[in-house]
Amino acid sequence: MPQSTVAVKHAAQNATVHGRAQPFIKHDGLANAKITCEEFPELTAVTDASGLFQLDAPVGENLTLTLTHPDTRTTTAATFTVPAEGIPAGE
């Protein structure tokens, strides 16, 4: 798992959000992609060799994540609310 986790202190509690970046056509992980958060610009990560990333995000807050990488189009995911239990790896 990448070690580029950034804690955000805007909420009383943070939870870990795991994710995986991959190109649309292939299912291989996308290494060295930058993940940013629209609502909290200081919340960023870089994917590891398998495309995995994790962020410590404020529980109950909305997050909209954007992926940037020179080999693919910039992609913004749907906005979601961070649950108290976080988002486990593999989901």
Side-chain angles (χ1 to χ4, degrees):
M1 190 63 52
Q3 299 300 315
S4 57
T5 301
V6 176
V8 177
K9 303 297 181 188
H10 297 283
Q13 178 184 354
N14 288 336
T16 302
V17 174
H18 292 88
R20 183 169 187 265
Q22 67 185 45
F24 286 109
I25 306 241
K26 295 181 178 182
H27 294 289
D28 300 332
L30 190 59
N32 298 313
K34 184 176 182 182
I35 308 298
T36 57
C37 177
E38 181 178 307
E39 295 82 1
F40 301 97
E42 69 276 20
L43 188 61
T44 66
V46 176
T47 60
D48 67 10
S50 298
L52 300 174
F53 68 91
Q54 67 182 40
L55 302 166
D56 286 332
V59 171
E61 295 290 337
N62 289 334
L63 296 185
T64 307
L65 302 181
T66 298
L67 174 148
T68 54
H69 189 278
D71 295 338
T72 189
R73 291 182 179 177
T74 297
T75 304
T76 300
T79 301
F80 64 94
T81 303
V82 179
E85 65 277 8
I87 298 178
E91 293 190 27

